[in-house]
Amino acid sequence: MKKTNLRSSFRYTNLLFLVFALLLLSLQSCNNKKETAQANEKPISDLSIYNLPSQWTNQDGKNMEMKDMKGKVLVMVMIYTSCKAACPRLVADMRNIEQRIPQKIKENVQFVLVSIDPTVDTPKRLKSFAIENKMDGDQWVFLRSTEENTREFAAVLAVNYKKIAPVDFSHSNIISVFNADGELAYQQEGLGVNSDQTINKITEEAEKLN
């Protein structure tokens, strides 16, 4: 009889322990969700691109603001789709960076290509360009806006561009990395340059979100 009671007591103790462990896991999950929510509600700093009120349109014709991408590391470049010289190489550099990003942090990174020729680069044209260049996955965003908004954003990235012919522009070749708060973290300048430091910075910022 005593042996039976001992077994019952042991089972009861194990059951209490299991319930307690499940309760702790539940509380931890709630706390993690609360911390994530608090992070998303973090005030936007004065240095963040999410302060920009400009309206943009993506390759799917959806209207958006920069702050709609808040919470991800942004890798950004300014190009135009009819470019035959520097832009194809910038696009190749962006694809190369995307392919080298560790798989475990890819969902924390958004690759954004901003047009400096919004007259030609309609959402339809941007969509076609994305498909042509195998950049039509969810990680890729193509944006266009007004000339004024484009100029303002180029100034933020320290990108200079100038129309030199009806369909040609001279422009800076800069890939910029922004942290999840929209603050500039790193810039890569040039074409076909070594992207190791860029990838390291992207990875460093993206791992903070895991």
mmCIF file of all heavy atoms in Angstrom, residues 5-30:
data_model
loop_
_atom_site.group_PDB
_atom_site.id
_atom_site.type_symbol
_atom_site.label_atom_id
_atom_site.label_comp_id
_atom_site.label_asym_id
_atom_site.label_seq_id
_atom_site.Cartn_x
_atom_site.Cartn_y
_atom_site.Cartn_z
ATOM 1 N N ASN A 5 1.184 4.264 -2.840
ATOM 2 C CA ASN A 5 1.088 5.696 -2.505
ATOM 3 C C ASN A 5 2.325 6.447 -2.968
ATOM 4 O O ASN A 5 2.252 7.594 -3.414
ATOM 5 C CB ASN A 5 0.906 5.863 -0.991
ATOM 6 C CG ASN A 5 -0.476 5.432 -0.536
ATOM 7 O OD1 ASN A 5 -1.392 5.373 -1.360
ATOM 8 N ND2 ASN A 5 -0.624 5.113 0.744
ATOM 9 N N LEU A 6 3.494 5.794 -2.840
ATOM 10 C CA LEU A 6 4.747 6.427 -3.264
ATOM 11 C C LEU A 6 4.754 6.664 -4.764
ATOM 12 O O LEU A 6 5.151 7.726 -5.239
ATOM 13 C CB LEU A 6 5.925 5.529 -2.870
ATOM 14 C CG LEU A 6 7.331 6.098 -3.112
ATOM 15 C CD1 LEU A 6 7.531 7.376 -2.306
ATOM 16 C CD2 LEU A 6 8.392 5.075 -2.747
ATOM 17 N N ARG A 7 4.265 5.672 -5.513
ATOM 18 C CA ARG A 7 4.187 5.837 -6.965
ATOM 19 C C ARG A 7 3.217 6.938 -7.348
ATOM 20 O O ARG A 7 3.477 7.751 -8.246
ATOM 21 C CB ARG A 7 3.738 4.513 -7.608
ATOM 22 C CG ARG A 7 4.826 3.443 -7.631
ATOM 23 C CD ARG A 7 4.293 2.169 -8.220
ATOM 24 N NE ARG A 7 5.330 1.144 -8.277
ATOM 25 C CZ ARG A 7 5.097 -0.123 -8.601
ATOM 26 N NH1 ARG A 7 3.849 -0.498 -8.879
ATOM 27 N NH2 ARG A 7 6.083 -0.992 -8.649
ATOM 28 N N SER A 8 2.085 6.989 -6.679
ATOM 29 C CA SER A 8 1.085 8.029 -6.959
ATOM 30 C C SER A 8 1.658 9.401 -6.671
ATOM 31 O O SER A 8 1.465 10.364 -7.419
ATOM 32 C CB SER A 8 -0.176 7.794 -6.116
ATOM 33 O OG SER A 8 -0.773 6.566 -6.451
ATOM 34 N N SER A 9 2.395 9.488 -5.565
ATOM 35 C CA SER A 9 3.012 10.769 -5.199
ATOM 36 C C SER A 9 4.044 11.189 -6.235
ATOM 37 O O SER A 9 4.152 12.354 -6.603
ATOM 38 C CB SER A 9 3.667 10.635 -3.807
ATOM 39 O OG SER A 9 4.344 11.825 -3.476
ATOM 40 N N PHE A 10 4.794 10.195 -6.730
ATOM 41 C CA PHE A 10 5.827 10.480 -7.736
ATOM 42 C C PHE A 10 5.190 10.990 -9.033
ATOM 43 O O PHE A 10 5.658 11.948 -9.635
ATOM 44 C CB PHE A 10 6.630 9.201 -7.997
ATOM 45 C CG PHE A 10 7.749 9.387 -8.978
ATOM 46 C CD1 PHE A 10 8.884 10.103 -8.642
ATOM 47 C CD2 PHE A 10 7.654 8.839 -10.252
ATOM 48 C CE1 PHE A 10 9.906 10.278 -9.556
ATOM 49 C CE2 PHE A 10 8.666 9.012 -11.165
ATOM 50 C CZ PHE A 10 9.804 9.732 -10.809
ATOM 51 N N ARG A 11 4.090 10.305 -9.445
ATOM 52 C CA ARG A 11 3.387 10.746 -10.652
ATOM 53 C C ARG A 11 2.838 12.152 -10.483
ATOM 54 O O ARG A 11 2.881 12.982 -11.380
ATOM 55 C CB ARG A 11 2.235 9.777 -10.977
ATOM 56 C CG ARG A 11 2.679 8.410 -11.461
ATOM 57 C CD ARG A 11 1.523 7.677 -12.110
ATOM 58 N NE ARG A 11 1.770 6.247 -12.172
ATOM 59 C CZ ARG A 11 1.303 5.361 -11.308
ATOM 60 N NH1 ARG A 11 0.570 5.767 -10.285
ATOM 61 N NH2 ARG A 11 1.546 4.076 -11.433
ATOM 62 N N TYR A 12 2.297 12.435 -9.312
ATOM 63 C CA TYR A 12 1.711 13.757 -9.032
ATOM 64 C C TYR A 12 2.789 14.851 -9.093
ATOM 65 O O TYR A 12 2.596 15.923 -9.647
ATOM 66 C CB TYR A 12 1.048 13.740 -7.653
ATOM 67 C CG TYR A 12 0.380 15.045 -7.279
ATOM 68 C CD1 TYR A 12 -0.765 15.476 -7.952
ATOM 69 C CD2 TYR A 12 0.904 15.847 -6.273
ATOM 70 C CE1 TYR A 12 -1.373 16.668 -7.622
ATOM 71 C CE2 TYR A 12 0.314 17.043 -5.934
ATOM 72 C CZ TYR A 12 -0.828 17.456 -6.612
ATOM 73 O OH TYR A 12 -1.427 18.641 -6.288
ATOM 74 N N THR A 13 3.965 14.514 -8.527
ATOM 75 C CA THR A 13 5.090 15.472 -8.535
ATOM 76 C C THR A 13 5.537 15.738 -9.966
ATOM 77 O O THR A 13 5.794 16.883 -10.359
ATOM 78 C CB THR A 13 6.274 14.921 -7.722
ATOM 79 O OG1 THR A 13 5.830 14.678 -6.389
ATOM 80 C CG2 THR A 13 7.426 15.915 -7.687
ATOM 81 N N ASN A 14 5.629 14.680 -10.767
ATOM 82 C CA ASN A 14 6.022 14.845 -12.174
ATOM 83 C C ASN A 14 5.016 15.692 -12.944
ATOM 84 O O ASN A 14 5.378 16.521 -13.777
ATOM 85 C CB ASN A 14 6.154 13.485 -12.860
ATOM 86 C CG ASN A 14 7.482 12.819 -12.536
ATOM 87 O OD1 ASN A 14 8.361 13.459 -11.966
ATOM 88 N ND2 ASN A 14 7.620 11.547 -12.883
ATOM 89 N N LEU A 15 3.724 15.465 -12.650
ATOM 90 C CA LEU A 15 2.676 16.228 -13.320
ATOM 91 C C LEU A 15 2.763 17.701 -12.966
ATOM 92 O O LEU A 15 2.648 18.575 -13.831
ATOM 93 C CB LEU A 15 1.298 15.669 -12.924
ATOM 94 C CG LEU A 15 0.084 16.348 -13.568
ATOM 95 C CD1 LEU A 15 0.150 16.211 -15.081
ATOM 96 C CD2 LEU A 15 -1.211 15.749 -13.040
ATOM 97 N N LEU A 16 3.002 17.991 -11.682
ATOM 98 C CA LEU A 16 3.157 19.383 -11.241
ATOM 99 C C LEU A 16 4.357 20.039 -11.930
ATOM 100 O O LEU A 16 4.302 21.194 -12.353
ATOM 101 C CB LEU A 16 3.339 19.440 -9.723
ATOM 102 C CG LEU A 16 2.087 19.276 -8.875
ATOM 103 C CD1 LEU A 16 2.444 19.308 -7.389
ATOM 104 C CD2 LEU A 16 1.067 20.380 -9.190
ATOM 105 N N PHE A 17 5.449 19.279 -12.031
ATOM 106 C CA PHE A 17 6.653 19.806 -12.677
ATOM 107 C C PHE A 17 6.396 20.125 -14.148
ATOM 108 O O PHE A 17 6.816 21.153 -14.668
ATOM 109 C CB PHE A 17 7.790 18.789 -12.555
ATOM 110 C CG PHE A 17 9.066 19.234 -13.226
ATOM 111 C CD1 PHE A 17 9.908 20.149 -12.612
ATOM 112 C CD2 PHE A 17 9.399 18.746 -14.490
ATOM 113 C CE1 PHE A 17 11.075 20.564 -13.235
ATOM 114 C CE2 PHE A 17 10.560 19.166 -15.116
ATOM 115 C CZ PHE A 17 11.406 20.081 -14.473
ATOM 116 N N LEU A 18 5.658 19.218 -14.826
ATOM 117 C CA LEU A 18 5.347 19.420 -16.239
ATOM 118 C C LEU A 18 4.484 20.658 -16.436
ATOM 119 O O LEU A 18 4.724 21.470 -17.328
ATOM 120 C CB LEU A 18 4.639 18.183 -16.792
ATOM 121 C CG LEU A 18 4.225 18.230 -18.269
ATOM 122 C CD1 LEU A 18 5.450 18.405 -19.160
ATOM 123 C CD2 LEU A 18 3.472 16.967 -18.658
ATOM 124 N N VAL A 19 3.464 20.807 -15.578
ATOM 125 C CA VAL A 19 2.586 21.978 -15.662
ATOM 126 C C VAL A 19 3.382 23.253 -15.423
ATOM 127 O O VAL A 19 3.219 24.251 -16.126
ATOM 128 C CB VAL A 19 1.430 21.860 -14.639
ATOM 129 C CG1 VAL A 19 0.659 23.171 -14.555
ATOM 130 C CG2 VAL A 19 0.495 20.726 -15.023
ATOM 131 N N PHE A 20 4.273 23.216 -14.438
ATOM 132 C CA PHE A 20 5.098 24.388 -14.117
ATOM 133 C C PHE A 20 6.014 24.753 -15.286
ATOM 134 O O PHE A 20 6.173 25.926 -15.637
ATOM 135 C CB PHE A 20 5.928 24.092 -12.863
ATOM 136 C CG PHE A 20 6.770 25.245 -12.401
ATOM 137 C CD1 PHE A 20 6.177 26.406 -11.901
ATOM 138 C CD2 PHE A 20 8.152 25.193 -12.489
ATOM 139 C CE1 PHE A 20 6.953 27.479 -11.487
ATOM 140 C CE2 PHE A 20 8.929 26.254 -12.085
ATOM 141 C CZ PHE A 20 8.327 27.402 -11.569
ATOM 142 N N ALA A 21 6.608 23.725 -15.924
ATOM 143 C CA ALA A 21 7.507 23.962 -17.065
ATOM 144 C C ALA A 21 6.748 24.572 -18.241
ATOM 145 O O ALA A 21 7.225 25.502 -18.900
ATOM 146 C CB ALA A 21 8.167 22.651 -17.488
ATOM 147 N N LEU A 22 5.545 24.039 -18.497
ATOM 148 C CA LEU A 22 4.732 24.580 -19.591
ATOM 149 C C LEU A 22 4.328 26.027 -19.314
ATOM 150 O O LEU A 22 4.285 26.858 -20.216
ATOM 151 C CB LEU A 22 3.481 23.713 -19.801
ATOM 152 C CG LEU A 22 3.725 22.329 -20.413
ATOM 153 C CD1 LEU A 22 2.437 21.502 -20.381
ATOM 154 C CD2 LEU A 22 4.228 22.453 -21.839
ATOM 155 N N LEU A 23 4.046 26.312 -18.039
ATOM 156 C CA LEU A 23 3.677 27.677 -17.647
ATOM 157 C C LEU A 23 4.841 28.637 -17.878
ATOM 158 O O LEU A 23 4.661 29.739 -18.397
ATOM 159 C CB LEU A 23 3.247 27.699 -16.177
ATOM 160 C CG LEU A 23 2.792 29.049 -15.617
ATOM 161 C CD1 LEU A 23 1.579 29.566 -16.391
ATOM 162 C CD2 LEU A 23 2.460 28.937 -14.133
ATOM 163 N N LEU A 24 6.054 28.190 -17.537
ATOM 164 C CA LEU A 24 7.244 29.025 -17.746
ATOM 165 C C LEU A 24 7.471 29.293 -19.226
ATOM 166 O O LEU A 24 7.795 30.418 -19.628
ATOM 167 C CB LEU A 24 8.482 28.336 -17.150
ATOM 168 C CG LEU A 24 8.680 28.442 -15.638
ATOM 169 C CD1 LEU A 24 9.916 27.661 -15.217
ATOM 170 C CD2 LEU A 24 8.812 29.907 -15.213
ATOM 171 N N LEU A 25 7.318 28.247 -20.060
ATOM 172 C CA LEU A 25 7.497 28.421 -21.504
ATOM 173 C C LEU A 25 6.466 29.386 -22.065
ATOM 174 O O LEU A 25 6.764 30.208 -22.925
ATOM 175 C CB LEU A 25 7.373 27.066 -22.213
ATOM 176 C CG LEU A 25 8.565 26.107 -22.065
ATOM 177 C CD1 LEU A 25 8.219 24.747 -22.646
ATOM 178 C CD2 LEU A 25 9.793 26.689 -22.748
ATOM 179 N N SER A 26 5.241 29.280 -21.583
ATOM 180 C CA SER A 26 4.172 30.174 -22.034
ATOM 181 C C SER A 26 4.471 31.614 -21.671
ATOM 182 O O SER A 26 4.311 32.532 -22.478
ATOM 183 C CB SER A 26 2.843 29.731 -21.420
ATOM 184 O OG SER A 26 1.816 30.627 -21.784
ATOM 185 N N LEU A 27 4.947 31.821 -20.433
ATOM 186 C CA LEU A 27 5.291 33.178 -19.979
ATOM 187 C C LEU A 27 6.454 33.745 -20.779
ATOM 188 O O LEU A 27 6.464 34.914 -21.145
ATOM 189 C CB LEU A 27 5.643 33.158 -18.486
ATOM 190 C CG LEU A 27 4.465 32.956 -17.520
ATOM 191 C CD1 LEU A 27 4.975 32.772 -16.086
ATOM 192 C CD2 LEU A 27 3.513 34.142 -17.592
ATOM 193 N N GLN A 28 7.444 32.884 -21.072
ATOM 194 C CA GLN A 28 8.593 33.325 -21.865
ATOM 195 C C GLN A 28 8.169 33.735 -23.259
ATOM 196 O O GLN A 28 8.624 34.738 -23.801
ATOM 197 C CB GLN A 28 9.633 32.204 -21.939
ATOM 198 C CG GLN A 28 10.925 32.627 -22.648
ATOM 199 C CD GLN A 28 11.950 31.512 -22.654
ATOM 200 O OE1 GLN A 28 11.656 30.385 -22.323
ATOM 201 N NE2 GLN A 28 13.165 31.835 -23.035
ATOM 202 N N SER A 29 7.261 32.944 -23.865
ATOM 203 C CA SER A 29 6.757 33.263 -25.202
ATOM 204 C C SER A 29 6.026 34.598 -25.195
ATOM 205 O O SER A 29 6.200 35.415 -26.095
ATOM 206 C CB SER A 29 5.832 32.145 -25.675
ATOM 207 O OG SER A 29 5.255 32.467 -26.906
ATOM 208 N N CYS A 30 5.210 34.804 -24.161
ATOM 209 C CA CYS A 30 4.477 36.076 -24.045
ATOM 210 C C CYS A 30 5.428 37.251 -23.905
ATOM 211 O O CYS A 30 5.232 38.309 -24.491
ATOM 212 C CB CYS A 30 3.532 36.026 -22.847
ATOM 213 S SG CYS A 30 2.119 34.927 -23.098
#
